[in-house]
Amino acid sequence: MLFSIIKNRIEQGYRTSKYPNEEIKLPERFKGKPEINSNCEQKIAELCASNCPQDAIDPKEKTIHLGKCVFCGLCEELSNGSFIKFSNDFELAVTDPEQLIYDGMIEKLEIHAKKHFKKLFGRSLQLRQVSAGGCNACEADLNVLNTPFFDLSRFGIQFVASPRHADGIIVTGPVTRNMKKALLKTYEAIPDPKIVIASGSCAISGGPFRGNPEQLNGVDGILKVDLYIPGCPPHPLTTLHALLTFFK
């Protein structure tokens, strides 16, 4: 049995991704950063906006709210790509909520990375993940970062079980009323200085649950967020790019 496992591992070889030293090309069906044609006909923009299940499109300004968007692709389908077309670019994270209102241009995350965060957490970053009413999609894709392909710990970033051992929290889910107290207690248990990351449409804006009285439309209303990672769920590479760019 032991020799069989060793033989299998030798045959498999080294499978860990070389990202960020080498680029990764995602499949064409992956829906990443949208490309917006601001010159498209107004009626097409209004058609997309009226059918957007997340009310994420402003037809007058021809913008899309990345924190509300669940990347379903309906707008691309309705406009036949003439208004919005999703690219393969997975670099979506921002630090300012105003940057979530996307008009086709987005400032590079490294411009807004805080030097003292890099100094404090550049060599070692411990995160406590809090699922505040999520559907487990965001949580599952965060777990993927611990698989041999991504091997998150090689960058000195780890998920920890206790908030007292953490440098910050990464929140998923819309923050249900039942989870509000647990989230705040977890945050309070983390030693200063600490960081807050909102991962996924739900944690940023409430996602498909926005407006429901049993949740709080994301973490922004109760804690100051340092980093927003859009997606539904965010691709593991979106999260990895955000963490490496912001903290390393």
Side-chain angles (χ1 to χ4, degrees), residues 9 14-17 144-152 154:
R9 293 300 300 271
Y14 184 77
R15 297 296 182 92
T16 301
S17 163
V144 169
L145 290 171
N146 287 321
T147 60
F149 182 77
F150 291 104
D151 191 14
L152 184 65
R154 67 189 156 124

Side-chain angles (χ1 to χ4, degrees), residues 31 51-54 69-77 86 232:
K31 291 181 174 58
N51 285 279
C52 177
Q54 294 300 304
C69 179
V70 294
F71 298 79
C72 65
L74 181 60
C75 52
E76 181 180 9
E77 183 181 332
F86 289 89
C232 186

Side-chain angles (χ1 to χ4, degrees), residues 41-156:
E41 295 180 34
Q42 186 65 26
K43 63 180 183 181
I44 295 178
E46 290 174 356
L47 174 67
C48 294
S50 62
N51 285 279
C52 177
Q54 294 300 304
D55 195 22
I57 297 172
D58 183 336
K60 291 184 179 177
E61 300 296 331
K62 292 194 171 70
T63 59
I64 182 168
H65 195 297
L66 295 179
K68 295 179 181 177
C69 179
V70 294
F71 298 79
C72 65
L74 181 60
C75 52
E76 181 180 9
E77 183 181 332
L78 289 173
S79 68
N80 198 24
S82 64
F83 176 39
I84 293 175
K85 188 176 181 181
F86 289 89
S87 71
N88 275 17
D89 190 347
F90 54 80
E91 298 178 0
L92 295 166
V94 299
T95 57
D96 189 336
E98 291 186 0
Q99 294 177 338
L100 291 167
I101 302 172
Y102 176 74
D103 61 359
M105 296 291 291
I106 190 169
E107 290 187 353
K108 288 188 174 294
L109 181 60
E110 49 263 41
I111 296 174
H112 299 276
K114 297 177 181 176
K115 288 184 179 178
H116 69 279
F117 278 170
K118 288 180 178 285
K119 185 177 180 181
L120 285 170
F121 308 124
R123 295 170 65 91
S124 174
L125 176 65
Q126 314 295 312
L127 294 171
R128 177 71 172 95
Q129 199 267 316
V130 178
S131 177
C135 68
N136 275 345
C138 291
E139 293 84 345
D141 272 3
L142 285 175
N143 286 335
V144 169
L145 290 171
N146 287 321
T147 60
F149 182 77
F150 291 104
D151 191 14
L152 184 65
S153 60
R154 67 189 156 124
F155 300 108

Side-chain angles (χ1 to χ4, degrees), residues 163-181:
R164 298 192 185 281
H165 301 158
D167 301 307
I169 52 175
I170 181 164
V171 183
T172 56
V175 188
T176 58
R177 294 195 179 279
N178 286 341
M179 281 300 296
K180 179 183 177 182
K181 186 176 181 180

Side-chain angles (χ1 to χ4, degrees), residues 25-45:
K25 186 171 177 57
L26 294 175
E28 289 186 5
R29 65 180 180 178
F30 170 73
K31 291 181 174 58
K33 188 181 295 180
E35 295 173 351
I36 299 177
N37 176 17
S38 57
N39 296 319
C40 84
E41 295 180 34
Q42 186 65 26
K43 63 180 183 181
I44 295 178

Side-chain angles (χ1 to χ4, degrees), residues 155-224:
F155 300 108
I157 304 173
Q158 294 177 318
F159 295 109
V160 294
S162 170
R164 298 192 185 281
H165 301 158
D167 301 307
I169 52 175
I170 181 164
V171 183
T172 56
V175 188
T176 58
R177 294 195 179 279
N178 286 341
M179 281 300 296
K180 179 183 177 182
K181 186 176 181 180
L183 174 61
L184 292 177
K185 279 190 168 292
T186 302
Y187 177 76
E188 290 167 1
I190 297 172
D192 290 323
K194 47 195 168 187
I195 54 176
V196 177
I197 302 170
S199 178
S201 172
C202 290
I204 296 174
S205 68
F209 309 103
R210 189 172 66 258
N212 188 292
E214 297 303 319
Q215 53 81 48
L216 304 177
N217 290 339
V219 66
D220 218 3
I222 56 174
L223 293 174
K224 182 183 180 303

